[in-house]
Amino acid sequence: MKILKTKDDLKEAILNCKHLGFVPTMGSLHKGHISLIKNSQKKSNKTIVSIFINPTQFNDKDDYKKYPKNIIRDIQILKKLRVNFVFIPTVKDIYKNKINSKFKLKKSEKILCANKRKGHFEGVLEVMDRLLNLVKPKFLYLGEKDFQQQYLINKYLHKKHKFKLIICKTIRHNKMALSSRNLNLKKKSLKTAQLIAGELSRIKNKYKNYNFRIKNNKLSLIKYLENKYLIKIEYLDFRNIKNLSISKFKTKFKLFIAYYIDNVRLIDNF
Ligand code: AMP
């Protein structure tokens, strides 16, 4: 595996690579990331993983500082998986001095995480635009866990970069989505979060039923979950998967949630 630390290293290493599969990450790799990598290895000639904790997508400095880092372990995992390239740039290398995002979300797109985390997706789009300019992959692998992220990346960047987007299903442990942020949870909260995930999955399925929906409206569900599990729900929404509009329950929908437990913010969708 080639470890690429600068843009120049990267350009040189992939010069003659066609059909590259690209898995962008922020590191602290877990089985969710690994499933994206394995999907890429099945389909692409060569696979490149990036590890870059992108400062511009953090709306809270403290959250950026606390984001888990495990670069030595990450490299070991990637070597074992026989990944071809890992790109680990510095903030300076990616941004020089220009750290502002040129992307602006429409008002109608400021929903779910975009409503609660100011500038988050603008930062995600900016870094993805820069990474895609460098890597020029044929296939881009993103997780369904960050549903709104893959939706916006596809909407804003597909035309320009012409990647084929492969959405990979969410990998779970005891019903809970794996996430690097889970490392910041106390053991007890991890257990609670697993129970919450199980309950949310059941609620999502019951929501297909009209009578259940009438009896359990969104606000009463939020109250019930907050009281039962002692969490703070940032949003809980049922939305169509095609355009993320509020679901009328006639076409395919998902339950989207963001909540705080142990001061750690978790997101998921079911
Ligand atoms: P991150 O390192 O959290 O920025 O995630 C990098 C990529 O891995 C994103 O495309 C995520 O959606 C994806 N990912 C994160 N967690 C999971 C999971 N539990 N299952 C599948 N994909 C995931």
Side-chain angles (χ1 to χ4, degrees):
M1 181 176 78
K2 279 195 182 150
I3 300 176
L4 313 169
K5 293 206 166 156
T6 66
K7 285 199 283 198
D8 289 338
D9 287 353
L10 172 79
K11 281 179 196 156
E12 197 186 316
I14 63 169
L15 201 60
N16 296 314
C17 291
K18 281 182 191 143
H19 305 295
L20 258 184
F22 180 34
V23 182
T25 81
M26 298 208 294
S28 283
L29 302 179
H30 52 66
K31 286 185 181 149
H33 299 115
I34 292 173
S35 94
L36 266 59
I37 292 167
K38 288 194 167 160
N39 271 306
S40 170
Q41 288 176 319
K42 266 187 229 152
K43 221 177 155 79
S44 325
N45 276 354
K46 293 203 167 166
T47 291
I48 175 163
V49 175
S50 64
I51 298 178
F52 181 63
I53 305 179
N54 173 36
T56 67
Q57 71 187 67
F58 286 82
N59 50 325
D60 173 355
K61 266 190 192 161
D62 209 39
D63 188 31
Y64 175 55
K65 270 195 222 146
K66 275 198 230 147
Y67 196 85
K69 297 165 195 73
N70 286 293
I71 197 72
I72 293 172
R73 185 174 165 272
D74 288 348
I75 289 173
Q76 280 170 353
I77 291 173
L78 296 175
K79 274 189 180 159
K80 218 168 156 194
L81 286 168
R82 297 178 176 277
V83 165
N84 303 94
F85 310 106
V86 57
F87 180 42
I88 316 175
T90 61
V91 173
K92 219 173 170 195
D93 206 25
I94 292 296
Y95 286 110
K96 289 209 184 101
N97 300 318
K98 268 195 158 179
I99 206 128
N100 288 341
S101 176
K102 56 187 166 294
F103 294 94
K104 275 212 158 72
L105 295 193
K106 290 187 206 134
K107 214 174 162 198
S108 61
E109 290 163 342
K110 293 194 174 170
I111 54 172
L112 304 170
C113 288
N115 180 31
K116 299 293 178 183
R117 297 185 73 187
K118 246 186 151 196
H120 167 66
F121 287 116
E122 288 83 349
V124 169
L125 291 170
E126 184 63 37
V127 76
M128 282 305 298
D129 185 39
R130 288 171 189 239
L131 290 172
L132 289 165
N133 261 335
L134 294 166
V135 177
K136 299 184 175 56
K138 169 138 185 182
F139 301 105
L140 173 64
Y141 294 84
L142 299 174
E144 193 173 18
K145 150 131 195 317
D146 299 280
F147 195 93
Q148 193 176 13
Q149 171 169 279
Q150 61 79 19
Y151 172 79
L152 290 171
I153 288 174
N154 201 31
K155 194 166 175 186
Y156 278 81
L157 299 176
H158 182 260
K159 233 187 190 166
K160 177 172 174 193
H161 295 285
K162 300 196 170 55
F163 47 78
K164 186 163 169 21
L165 180 59
I166 315 281
I167 305 299
C168 302
K169 73 174 178 40
T170 303
I171 303 299
R172 299 176 178 278
H173 176 68
N174 290 343
K175 311 254 161 71
M176 182 191 184
L178 296 180
S179 163
S180 308
R181 287 179 192 276
N182 296 356
L183 290 170
N184 289 343
L185 288 174
K186 293 185 192 116
K187 232 185 182 172
K188 194 172 159 217
S189 305
L190 195 69
K191 280 264 172 310
T192 306
Q194 291 167 353
L195 294 176
I196 294 170
E199 178 136 22
L200 289 170
S201 162
R202 289 192 293 278
I203 289 171
K204 149 77 203 296
N205 288 329
K206 286 188 194 160
Y207 240 69
K208 288 170 192 154
N209 178 303
Y210 175 77
N211 290 330
F212 183 85
R213 285 205 302 272
I214 298 304
K215 266 197 222 144
N216 300 273
N217 68 37
K218 195 180 97 172
L219 286 179
S220 65
L221 270 183
I222 291 177
K223 250 193 186 160
Y224 159 76
L225 291 163
E226 287 190 330
N227 289 335
K228 181 168 177 187
Y229 295 107
L230 303 177
I231 54 172
K232 182 79 204 133
I233 294 181
E234 196 180 68
Y235 65 72
L236 183 153
D237 252 350
F238 296 91
R239 291 188 174 261
N240 287 334
I241 56 168
K242 260 211 159 146
N243 56 10
L244 291 182
S245 63
I246 299 270
S247 178
K248 304 267 192 301
F249 305 104
K250 288 184 180 135
T251 50
K252 271 197 166 180
F253 68 95
K254 271 178 171 285
L255 184 171
F256 291 88
I257 189 163
Y259 70 92
Y260 283 90
I261 182 165
D262 259 1
N263 276 329
V264 177
R265 184 177 180 276
L266 300 177
I267 62 166
D268 206 343
N269 61 79
F270 298 86

